[in-house]
């Protein structure tokens, strides 16, 4: 490791030794940014990187609620307000039993750079809870969301901090959270994004992360005169991002042969066509069942406890969770002829997996660039809320495509190497950094 990176990381780790995901996210950025700062000393003297790695504010709170049998349950709620240099804190809420401070800090840190890349005025934040929505009734989820918002509503606002969804937080949860905010504050405000279309939501927001990750893959492939048409695609996850990734790949003439959940993956060599995707959406969003049922319904293979990375395909869209592709998985993907990896999930590839992509010069779009379409359309939802005027599907989709194109251009601008290879990791990190860093310089030591 570069000695300056090692020195910086030693300080970060000494402060919060028990946050490995946060260290991982910070180190990846530091490896790109420290050489850049050496060439641009104004950032060094102002200790911009040191300040960016320290949240502006961290909120941790108790979330008590009553379950259906009348027993008291206690969860922990969090909101990390990471950086507000270029706009109000913005980022999702995650409800999953693995949630802890380190995971949310990694997500909030990534969000700062991602939001900057979108070109829209949004700072970075993230929050959530160790609450597990799986197996809970709608009423239990509602009571939990109401208790969570009863505390969170003191800290957020349309010009302060605007949460949205992430793992375990979709339309149902945003509805319950919004209802409680409105009741307590007596304000119909654009304080959350991912809202229902009847009450201030934006068309295309549910689709945006998946569509954006596919648009980004198309941009990367175009640099080599290729496209997704006719390509076999490996997708992980079967939630919001995986579903709309699959929908857009189908529309562009690709074939998705895998999807997964936390218990295993299905392999359907014929492809998950629109009819089968409608089944997945009903299974996951309405019936809240397991992906295994897909294999039973369509007579294809189900691989219990495995991830899909040993399946042959030319494009991969990890869309489940962090560190879901390790070095051995990356070797398998590359060995099977995978040419492009576009990350719908946040930090799904381990550092060693990224090393494999770089060694083989794979087109690799890291999450903070490739999945920025979700938060970008959240930004467009905020704009429409401010104007009190909704845009058409076509309008939002064309803006999303334009934003993904612009993120790609930024990555090329800062990440193109002498031999023409584009290092999208470096490009996204520096491209995301510059705007935030310049804003921080202008605003003084705050
Ligand atoms: P969902 O809750 O809708 O779906 C998550 C999917 O990933 C489910 O299939 C889930 O399986 C699976 N999964 C979750 N945790 C694990 C785990 N630990 N191991 C294996 N599988 C797991 O979430 P989203 O689709 O919204 O989010 C997916 C990823 O995309 C996350 O990394 C998120 O941070 C990222 N992302 C989301 C955005 C959004 O707008 N929603 C925007 C940008 C990034 P199961 O049902 O069994 O738990
Ligand atoms: O990781 C992410 O970018 C999200 N979960 C979406 C955040 C948002 O504010 O829409």
């Amino acid at each position: 490791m570069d000695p300056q990176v090692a020195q910086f990381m030693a300080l970060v780790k000494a402060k919060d030794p028990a946050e490995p995901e946060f260290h991982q996210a910070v180190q990846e950025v530091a490896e790109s940014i420290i050489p850049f700062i050496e060439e641009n000393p104004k950032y060094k003297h102002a200790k911009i990187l040191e300040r960016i790695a320290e949240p502006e504010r961290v909120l941790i709170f108790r979330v008590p609620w009553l379950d259906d049998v009348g027993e008291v349950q206690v969860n922990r709620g969090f909101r990390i307000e990471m950086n507000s240099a270029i706009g109000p804190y913005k980022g999702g809420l995650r409800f999953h039993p693995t949630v802890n401070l380190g995971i949310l800090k990694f997500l909030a840190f990534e969000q700062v750079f991602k939001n900057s890349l979108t070109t829209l005025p949004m700072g970075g934040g993230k929050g959530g809870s160790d609450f597990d929505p799986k197996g809970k009734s709608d009423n239990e989820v509602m009571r939990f969301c109401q208790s969570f918002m009863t505390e969170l509503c003191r800290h957020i606002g349309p010009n302060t901090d605007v949460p949205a969804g992430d793992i375990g937080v979709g339309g149902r949860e945003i509805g319950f959270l919004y209802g409680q905010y409105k009741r307590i504050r007596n304000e119909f405000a654009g304080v959350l994004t991912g809202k229902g279309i009847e009450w201030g939501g934006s068309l295309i927001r549910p689709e945006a992360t998946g569509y954006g990750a596919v648009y980004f893959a198309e941009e990367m492939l175009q640099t080599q005169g290729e496209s997704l048409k006719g390509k076999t695609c490996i997708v992980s996850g079967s939630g919001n991002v995986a579903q709309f990734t699959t929908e857009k790949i189908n529309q562009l003439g690709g074939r998705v042969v895998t999807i997964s959940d936390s218990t295993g993956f299905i392999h359907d060599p014929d492809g998950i066509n629109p009819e089968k995707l409608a089944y997945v959406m009903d299974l996951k969003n309405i019936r809240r069942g397991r992906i295994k049922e897909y294999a039973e319904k369509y007579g294809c293979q189900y691989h219990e406890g495995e991830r899909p990375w040993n399946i042959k395909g030319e494009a991969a869209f990890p869309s489940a969770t962090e560190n879901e592709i390790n070095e051995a998985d990356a070797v398998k993907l590359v060995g099977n002829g995978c040419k492009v990896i576009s990350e719908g999930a946040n930090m799904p590839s381990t550092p060693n997996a990224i090393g494999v992509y770089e060694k083989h010069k794979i087109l690799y779009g890291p999450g903070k660039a490739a999945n920025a379409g979700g938060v970008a359309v959240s930004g467009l939802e905020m704009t429409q809320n401010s104007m009190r005027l909704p845009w058409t599907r076509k309008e939002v989709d064309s803006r999303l495509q334009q934003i993904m194109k612009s993120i790609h251009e930024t990555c090329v601008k800062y990440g193109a190497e002498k031999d023409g290879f584009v290092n999208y990791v470096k490009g996204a990190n520096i491209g995301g950094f510059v705007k935030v860093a310049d804003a921080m310089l202008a605003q003084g030591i705050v």
Side-chain angles (χ1 to χ4, degrees):
M1 199 195 301
D2 172 275
Q4 276 181 289
V5 174
Q7 200 183 4
F8 174 69
M9 286 314 301
L11 290 174
V12 172
K13 288 179 184 173
K15 264 193 190 170
D16 298 298
E19 298 177 355
E21 293 85 4
F22 179 61
H23 304 158
Q24 182 182 334
V26 172
Q27 183 165 327
E28 189 225 79
V29 165
E31 281 168 358
S32 305
I33 296 300
I34 286 178
F36 179 74
I37 290 178
E38 285 303 308
E39 292 162 20
N40 297 274
K42 60 183 177 180
Y43 301 127
K44 189 174 177 175
H45 301 319
K47 296 244 165 73
I48 297 291
L49 188 59
E50 288 82 347
R51 282 198 268 157
I52 281 188
E54 186 68 21
E56 288 180 14
R57 190 176 300 108
V58 173
L59 304 154
I60 303 184
F61 49 97
R62 179 170 69 205
V63 189
W65 56 282
L66 271 184
D67 70 16
D68 284 348
V69 296
E71 200 172 312
V72 178
Q73 301 286 339
V74 186
N75 286 97
R76 184 170 287 179
F78 301 86
R79 186 71 184 166
I80 318 297
E81 296 184 335
M82 199 74 191
N83 195 299
S84 62
I86 63 167
Y89 309 108
K90 180 82 196 89
L93 296 171
R94 177 178 290 193
F95 293 168
H96 194 271
T98 56
V99 161
N100 59 37
L101 181 58
I103 289 189
L104 294 179
K105 276 176 65 185
F106 116 64
L107 289 161
F109 181 79
E110 289 281 288
Q111 201 80 46
V112 172
F113 297 84
K114 185 195 301 192
N115 292 3
S116 164
L117 283 167
T118 66
T119 71
L120 303 174
M122 298 181 289
K126 200 84 186 188
S129 174
D130 59 359
F131 173 75
D132 186 358
K134 267 199 210 92
K136 304 290 190 299
S137 69
D138 285 351
N139 280 331
E140 287 177 323
V141 171
M142 180 177 74
R143 286 195 294 274
F144 172 80
C145 286
Q146 290 176 340
S147 180
F148 184 87
M149 185 52 89
T150 300
E151 175 59 34
L152 188 67
C153 77
R154 313 169 199 274
H155 310 290
I156 61 177
N159 297 309
T160 307
D161 184 352
V162 184
D166 193 78
I167 291 176
V169 178
R172 176 183 60 170
E173 290 74 19
I174 293 292
F176 294 149
L177 292 163
Y178 193 72
Q180 185 72 351
Y181 181 89
K182 191 162 60 61
R183 187 173 186 202
I184 297 179
R185 301 281 292 252
N186 195 23
E187 262 174 27
F188 194 99
V191 70
L192 295 171
T193 59
K195 299 186 292 300
I197 213 66
E198 307 82 0
W199 38 283
S202 174
L203 289 163
I204 302 282
R205 176 62 189 93
E207 293 88 341
T209 311
Y211 279 19
V214 177
Y215 294 147
F216 199 80
E218 283 284 63
E219 289 293 323
M220 291 193 286
L221 282 165
Q222 243 178 47
T223 63
Q224 301 189 349
E226 291 204 51
S227 77
L228 283 167
K229 196 164 187 211
K231 288 201 168 44
T232 299
C233 302
I234 314 297
V235 174
S236 67
S238 50
N240 171 269
V241 179
Q243 291 170 14
F244 289 104
T245 293
T246 303
E247 181 168 288
K248 184 52 74 180
I249 292 171
N250 282 338
Q251 288 171 7
L252 297 179
R255 187 164 50 116
V256 176
V257 297
T258 66
I259 45 172
S260 69
D261 64 18
S262 54
T263 37
F265 80 92
I266 60 101
H267 180 205
D268 184 349
D270 297 334
I272 301 166
N273 63 25
E275 178 218 319
K276 293 172 177 174
L277 179 59
Y279 171 84
V280 173
M281 289 181 173
D282 181 64
L283 173 70
K284 285 292 169 182
N285 308 346
I286 311 289
R287 291 192 286 125
R288 300 185 189 271
R290 302 277 81 211
I291 205 63
K292 186 182 182 179
E293 294 174 46
Y294 179 105
E296 286 155 10
K297 169 138 177 103
Y298 293 110
C300 69
Q301 281 191 329
Y302 170 65
H303 300 263
E304 176 93 26
E306 288 181 43
R307 293 173 298 196
W309 314 123
N310 59 351
I311 301 296
K312 201 170 161 57
E314 293 117 322
F317 294 85
S319 310
T321 195
E322 56 272 8
N323 292 327
E324 57 171 315
I325 304 183
N326 63 26
E327 184 175 6
D329 298 324
V331 169
K332 271 185 244 154
L333 277 172
V334 171
N336 277 332
C338 186
K339 291 184 174 161
V340 57
I341 295 166
S342 190
E343 294 184 338
N346 285 305
M347 206 169 77
S349 302
T350 65
N352 287 344
I354 297 172
V356 174
Y357 311 149
E358 284 178 357
K359 183 169 151 211
H360 293 274
K361 306 229 160 190
I362 300 294
L363 293 170
Y364 166 56
K368 63 171 77 69
N371 72 37
V375 74
V377 174
S378 278
L380 301 178
E381 184 172 329
M382 291 165 73
T383 307
Q384 294 168 79
N385 290 167
S386 300
M387 297 192 304
R388 300 192 188 280
L389 210 57
W391 287 331
T392 63
R393 231 185 131 75
K394 201 167 151 218
E395 168 89 34
V396 182
D397 194 26
S398 84
R399 284 180 187 267
L400 169 63
Q401 287 183 51
Q402 198 46 52
I403 288 171
M404 296 317 293
K405 229 182 228 303
S406 137
I407 296 173
H408 186 269
E409 278 166 17
T410 302
C411 290
V412 172
K413 177 175 170 193
Y414 291 105
E417 293 180 348
K418 285 195 190 86
D419 61 359
F421 171 71
V422 180
N423 184 331
Y424 289 91
V425 173
K426 182 175 158 199
N429 287 340
I430 299 177
F433 174 81
V434 169
K435 185 174 164 191
V436 177
D438 287 344
M440 288 173 74
L441 279 182
Q443 292 168 22
I445 316 281
V446 290

